Structure formats: C-alpha cells, structure tokens
Amino acid sequence: MYCKHLFVNLKADCQAAILEFIGTTFFLLFGLGGIQAATGAKLASGGSTSNVEQVLYISLCMGFSLLVSAWLFFRITGGLFNPEVSLALLLVRAIKPVRFVLFVIAQLVGSIVASALDLSVGTFLQQDINVAQGVFIEMFITCALVLSVLMLAAEKHQATAFAPVRILPPTSRISSTHHDYVSTSDDDGCRFAVYYTGASMNSARSFGPAVIAGFYPDHWVYWVGPILGSLLGAAFYGTMKYIHYGKLNPGQDASNDLEAARVMEEVCRNEA
C-alpha cells in the first residue's frame, strides 16, 4: 500500500525529471563552455591574460548561466541541478522519494551530456591537499549552499519568488568551479575552496567530466564531501524548525511595522 502511494504522482515526477535534465544540461553547457573559452583564450595568448580577467570571465559565465537556468526552471522543477540539494529537500520532506531518485538520475545524465559537448575539465584536489581535507572542505561549503537553498527557496516567505536572484549571484571562480550563492559565508567559502578542491559542491558537476575524461582515485571525495554537507545542512535546518526559529526574531517577514507588531504580540501571547 505504501509503495503504491509513492508512485501516485509518477507521471508528473517523470515530466519534472525530464525538465530537470534539460535544465541541468542547459546550465552546465553554457557554464562549462565559458570555462573552456576562458581557458582556451589564456592558452592562445601565451599566458598573457591575467588570472583576474580569467576568473571574472568564468564567474560571469557560471553565474549568469546558473541565474538564467534557475529562474527559468524555478517554478517548474525548482531548478535544483544538484544531487546534494535534492537530497536535502528529500530530508526536509520538500520532495518525495520517487522524484528525488528521478531528479538525481536526470542531473547526472545532464552533467554527462553537457560535459561531452564541452569536453570540460573536472574538479581535482591540489597536490598539497589530502583527501580528508578535501572531504571536509567540500562538506562545509556544500552545507552552506544547502542552507542557502533551504532558507531562501524551500522556506516560503514574501521574497521566495526572488530566490534564484538571492541564491545565484556571480562570485569569483576558476576553471574547475560550479555553483555560487548569496551569503557572505558562502562567497568566502567558495573563494577559499576553489583553490583547494575546485569548490564543486555538486557531485553531478564532478561526475560528468569524470565520465568523459576518466575517473581518478580521489573522485570519491566529490561524493562523500557534498553528501555529508547536505546531511549537515538539512540537520541544522531541521533543528531550527524544531525550535521554531521564527519566534526568536519575529516579524522579519512583515510588510510594514503594524504587521510586525501584530506578529510579535502573537508570539508573546503564545509563549505566555
């Protein structure tokens, strides 16, 4: 009986997964294409192009590709494009298990298709970074990413419609990077992590290039780290929901002072 209930929306889940595949391919095709263009331009110039120019070009390509893709698909599939974000949404019960499985498959296949078209470079650990350090770096930056998505998109509020803009502004990147997110902690995390691990935060982003170019011994880091980060972010979000975090600073989503005062009065009355 429970299994039958899982598949009650199978048709809609399959349709959403197909569109999630298209969205993931669209995002990574243009984002990774920009990385290839920037890398190729620097090689063609004999290295005369500065690293700052390369980083700015890549961050614009990745940022705007993600911004456009997420806003196009936000009201259709949620514009996830990331297995770890999908896992976090499953854990907080924002999506059902069947849709989660279909979305992860769609995201992985979309990454493979985009990587095949771009022949893009993958994510690698720097020589002075061991696998334990790589796992923890990817875990913490993915945790920050997941919290951004959960608080800005999954958590419904007056600015939810603008979540793609709040979650997806361009930030500094180099050739092996992926997502970029709004908060200062996320931005700082990406800026430091991109040198050490490539700041993947997305197993699909690392999986596609590996399928095309070949797997390497440390590839598992880009699965274990982000998955642990997703679990940590979802656990933190669940804890905040459990303690009813809204009562700690009530009225923040109010449209005017009168509404804020009414919310605060209601919270005080409930606690009395």
Side-chain angles (χ1 to χ4, degrees):
M1 192 68 179
Y2 176 72
C3 292
K4 184 178 179 180
H5 177 71
L6 284 176
F7 296 97
V8 67
N9 294 320
L10 182 60
K11 181 178 179 180
D13 290 338
C14 290
Q15 292 172 337
I18 292 172
L19 291 168
E20 181 72 6
F21 158 74
I22 295 172
T24 303
T25 305
F26 182 89
F27 157 57
L28 289 177
L29 177 63
F30 291 103
L32 298 179
I35 291 176
Q36 292 295 84
T39 304
K42 186 166 186 176
L43 292 174
S45 65
S48 61
T49 304
S50 72
N51 287 332
V52 174
E53 291 175 332
Q54 184 184 21
V55 165
L56 287 175
Y57 184 87
I58 289 172
S59 74
L60 286 173
C61 289
M62 292 297 292
F64 280 117
S65 177
L66 188 52
L67 172 62
V68 172
S69 302
W71 215 335
L72 281 174
F73 290 90
F74 177 62
R75 289 179 292 179
I76 305 173
T77 69
L80 309 184
F81 314 144
N82 186 325
E84 281 68 46
V85 172
S86 301
L87 174 61
L89 292 176
L90 171 69
L91 293 175
V92 301
R93 300 182 179 180
I95 61 175
K96 299 295 179 61
V98 172
R99 178 163 295 203
F100 163 72
V101 172
L102 293 174
F103 269 26
V104 170
I105 294 172
Q107 291 154 359
L108 294 176
V109 175
S111 177
I112 294 172
V113 171
S115 300
L117 294 172
D118 280 331
L119 296 177
S120 58
V121 63
T123 48
F124 303 92
L125 299 178
Q126 287 292 322
Q127 292 182 353
D128 55 343
I129 298 298
N130 61 47
V131 292
Q133 292 172 320
V135 166
F136 277 99
I137 289 172
E138 285 292 322
M139 179 182 71
F140 285 119
I141 61 177
T142 304
C143 176
L145 156 65
V146 165
L147 282 175
S148 297
V149 174
L150 291 176
M151 293 304 298
L152 296 173
E155 192 77 356
K156 302 308 176 186
H157 47 81
Q158 290 185 355
T160 297
F162 296 96
V165 178
R166 293 171 176 266
I167 296 175
L168 311 173
T171 59
S172 297
R173 290 286 192 266
I174 61 174
S175 60
S176 60
T177 65
H178 183 211
H179 279 289
D180 18 74
Y181 290 83
V182 63
S183 72
T184 303
S185 61
D186 293 343
D187 191 27
D188 289 344
C190 294
R191 289 175 186 273
F192 98 82
V194 69
Y195 170 77
Y196 301 110
T197 67
S200 173
M201 295 181 285
N202 185 335
S203 298
R205 182 265 176 270
S206 298
F207 179 74
V211 170
I212 301 303
F215 290 89
Y216 53 95
D218 296 338
H219 176 74
W220 63 269
V221 168
Y222 297 97
W223 286 90
V224 175
I227 289 174
L228 289 176
S230 178
L231 296 175
L232 181 62
F236 186 79
Y237 173 78
T239 302
M240 290 193 295
K241 295 288 286 185
Y242 177 76
I243 65 173
H244 302 289
Y245 72 91
K247 70 181 182 182
L248 303 178
N249 192 18
Q252 296 306 303
D253 200 36
S255 58
N256 53 62
D257 292 341
L258 182 61
E259 184 179 348
R262 186 162 54 249
V263 171
M264 294 182 68
E265 182 181 350
E266 182 179 348
V267 170
C268 293
R269 186 167 56 250
N270 291 335
E271 290 183 346

